[in-house]
Amino acid sequence: MKGLFKSKPRTPVDVVRQTRENLVHLDLNSGSRGGDAKREEKMAELSKNIRELKSILYGNGESEPVTEACVQLTQEFFRENTLRLLIIHLPKLNLETRKDATQVVANLQRQQVSSKIVASEYLESNKDLLDILISGYENMDIALHYGAMLRECIRHQSIARYVLESEHMKKFFDYIQLPNFDIASDASATFKELLTRHKATVAEFLTNNYDWFFEEFNSRLLSSTNYITKRQAIKLLGDMLLDRSNVAVMMRYVSSKDNLMILMNLLRDSSKNIQIEAFHVFKLFAANKNKPAEVVNILVTNRSKLLRFFAGFKIDKEDEQFEADKEQVIKEISAL
Amino acid sequence: MAGGDGDASGGGEVRYPLEAESYRLLCKIGSGVSAVVYKAVCLPLGSSSPAVVAIKAIDLERSRANLDDVWREAKAMALLSHRNVLRAHCSFTVGSHLWVVMPFMGAGSLHSILSHGFPNGLPEPCVAVVLRDTLRALCYLHGQGRIHRDIKAGNILLDSDGSVKLADFGVSASIYETPSSFSGPAVHAPPLSAAASLGSSSSCCFNDLAGTPYWMAPEVIHSHVGYGIKADIWSFGITALELAHGRPPLSHLPPSKSMLLRITSRVRLEDAAETCSSAKRKKFSKAFRDMVSSCLRQEPAGRPSVEKLLRHPFFKGCRSNDYLVRNVLAAVPSIEERCKGDTNLCGCARGARCVSPCRHAAAAGVAAKNRRISGWNFNEENLEFDPAEGAAAEKKRCGLPFHDEEEDDRELESNSAGDDNDDDSRTAATQGSCHGERDQAVGFKEVVVPQLMTILESLKLERSMVMHALGSGGCHVAADGDGCGGMAAAPGEEREEMLLGYVRQLEHRVEELSKEVEEEMARNARLEKQLRLRERVHDHKTNSSQASESN
């Protein structure tokens, strides 16, 4: 009998509405234990709806996504608090539905409605959602899902700025060193995204927070005993300092003897990969035209060792830029 | 916390500890270029069955993939959940190694099972069970928008209860990830040069292309077309043949030739598969041959989807997994015994191959640390050098896995060269003189000469690589020499000499091969001439016989 009423296909707006109804139902009944069968039925419905949202946004095996359908879906999704409900109730969903939900949220961050990114506007007035997403790194079961959503949200410059300026930035130094590799790497990827994506915002952040940030960065990440933490941190430091928009920060960094000492120790790390990344930062100290006396002192004291080190410093594949940089560094140090 | 005992398929119930001290490595059960797999026991879990695990130790210093790729694989494994897909319990770092803790699959990979108990392939009903479960895994992966890209018997694992799981997502890609992060090692490599470098027989070069040569679909080799889900179907078809025969088709050729044949499609694989199965041992059902050849269509669009394959008649009446326990597991030694006999697995004997994170290697790692520059002098008050620490014996980190493969390759080379000769002489010796044969000979020339040329190219490449390696090797010696005196110098010299030896060998081979190419070309010309001559004679004969008949 039911089949008779199914003749009208559901519109994207219908699917979003039903998803929201399912989520509200979940919200109201989260405490109650009774009616497990009913609850499971609702859950199955929700899973089906979220999968439907995904296939509208991404297309399915046979068909590409339709722009008009995506626009309708996006509008309806952000018209009310569907995103909030979805994020809050994510831990209650099963694994497959969590993955679908993550992909839906990720896709929605890029959808435009009359050339405006609706998601960005929504998040700006719901910034507490970012607090929830970031705290996900403390829960193994949802960390990877929240982490993936978070990285999509910080594509919006205003949202990235919010996170950079929040107290959460300090927490990342812990998250990056979590023992669980997938979660630590996820946090590390988010951290990197925050510090490299929006150039002007990053430059402003680094300038205003120079002291505590590099203090933490040097002592906790570059001096970490964890191989991965060290390797990712030195790579990120290179990416940050070599970015043109961060010139002022770079000049400040390479004028410090303490920073130089850390980098020189990384040059003789047992890992070749770390050595190479450290070289890309060390060369900035050597190339600095206005080296402070304390930096010159250290370089002069260790001149012969440094020259001997660079004479034998090779990378596996040919790299003209690397060789040229090395020549330059050798020249600078010899001339001191 | 350790509640869900007995329910292995549920997963996630048992939390596995995230530090090395909680595990005891029992024995090595597999090894690759930058990873070793151990059977291990998780100590805090006591004697329950989930306490036995497999740990894949990936050397992040040696792994060519960057950390992002490694993370993506770990993430994929953590988020996949299907009874036929191997899922990671957890992963954490131990020094510069990443340990991925996985369920222990008691019977090992199908590749290992084939080589230890079924060198000529599994019985067809067993093949069906393994393939059906592999398809179920693929169905799940494809539904997730994931492409596996390296399906082969070596990546299909069997547990002691007969359950089958697909493993190794080292090269898998997700079509949901943004293009910039879509960077399996393969995407970087331009297709042709990569195909050529594969011929250089260095195992590290295999990783330049995703997948392993024999199982690779033509469009993966022609990677500009892009990967599709249908590439997995091709590899699945090859895997079917591998399970049925004990080895993949064309595996008697070195990988580069096998790839070349597939790109040029001079030898049609469909035919190769058909003739293989029917000529050698007529034991495969029509359903099997039909299923395999549908997977091996050159055009990706022509290959069936996983869903369609699962409905193929070949899988009708497929046995249960118990059937594998009775018919396969009973016939092969346990995985521990298999590994004992296999000296290849002992990484330590091979120096450079040893990537074991076991205690003594860790000690060697510490020793290796010391051979770097012996500490900077940050003491500003009295500008004296700190006394240089004596560097301990160097742990060799020579990145030259050329040696063994080169030998293998040469062996194969001479084998197939032998085949070529046989074929040629057979061609020459046969008295029949149909036109087909001439075509065959010409076709043969077209295949063989460019192949030899490619091999020659790749040898040149290999030579330059060795020269390069030699260059950096020399530098290592110089760097070692400075702080610590003679200790490192002796092995350094030895290595240098060894390398020089390789180079000389390679040069020799290049010369040999160039000569062979020339000879081959000359012989082909001769043969063609002969054939033409004989044809004329034949034509003449038939003409005359016709003439005599008509008389």
Side-chain angles (χ1 to χ4, degrees), chain B residues 311-468:
Chain B
R311 291 194 302 267
H312 192 279
F314 177 65
F315 296 107
K316 290 255 161 65
C318 196
R319 313 287 181 117
S320 73
N321 293 73
D322 284 339
Y323 189 79
L324 292 180
V325 178
R326 277 178 274 122
N327 293 282
V328 177
L329 293 187
V332 289
S334 80
I335 191 158
E336 287 88 351
E337 277 168 51
R338 273 182 253 164
C339 295
K340 239 179 256 166
D342 194 348
T343 48
N344 279 350
L345 286 178
C346 174
C348 300
R350 300 177 131 198
R353 283 291 176 81
C354 178
V355 286
S356 151
C358 55
R359 304 285 171 265
H360 86 265
V366 172
K369 223 175 238 173
N370 290 339
R371 84 188 151 89
R372 314 280 161 191
I373 281 286
S374 49
W376 308 113
N377 181 8
F378 298 134
N379 189 344
E380 286 162 280
E381 271 120 62
N382 50 347
L383 293 174
E384 276 173 73
F385 282 164
D386 288 333
E389 304 160 38
E394 178 203 7
K395 182 195 168 204
K396 264 197 233 170
R397 272 225 152 157
C398 143
L400 281 176
F402 295 137
H403 187 66
D404 326 275
E405 281 81 0
E406 196 189 297
E407 298 255 292
D408 294 349
D409 205 19
R410 188 180 317 161
E411 203 174 80
L412 287 163
E413 210 91 89
S414 59
N415 275 351
S416 53
D419 289 349
D420 294 354
N421 287 339
D422 284 355
D423 278 353
D424 277 3
S425 50
R426 223 179 296 139
T427 322
T430 334
Q431 277 147 6
S433 52
C434 59
H435 296 270
E437 204 162 57
R438 198 195 67 162
D439 289 349
Q440 197 188 329
V442 172
F444 197 76
K445 189 193 91 177
E446 276 170 22
V447 177
V448 169
V449 173
Q451 266 180 41
L452 284 172
M453 296 302 276
T454 321
I455 292 166
L456 192 69
E457 284 297 303
S458 69
L459 274 170
K460 281 183 185 156
L461 196 98
E462 191 177 76
R463 199 184 77 163
S464 68
M465 279 167 67
V466 174
M467 290 303 272
H468 182 100

Side-chain angles (χ1 to χ4, degrees), chain B residues 19 61 65 87 90 114 116 136 181 292 360 365 368 390 429 455 475 491:
Chain B
E19 73 278 324
E61 255 320 268
R87 186 181 180 182
C90 66
L114 287 172
H116 286 91
R136 285 176 177 165
S181 59
V292 171
H360 86 265
I455 292 166
C475 287

Side-chain angles (χ1 to χ4, degrees), chain B residues 195-213:
Chain B
S197 73
L198 269 163
S200 70
S201 74
S202 128
S203 62
C204 63
C205 284
F206 287 174
N207 298 342
D208 284 345
L209 277 181
T212 316

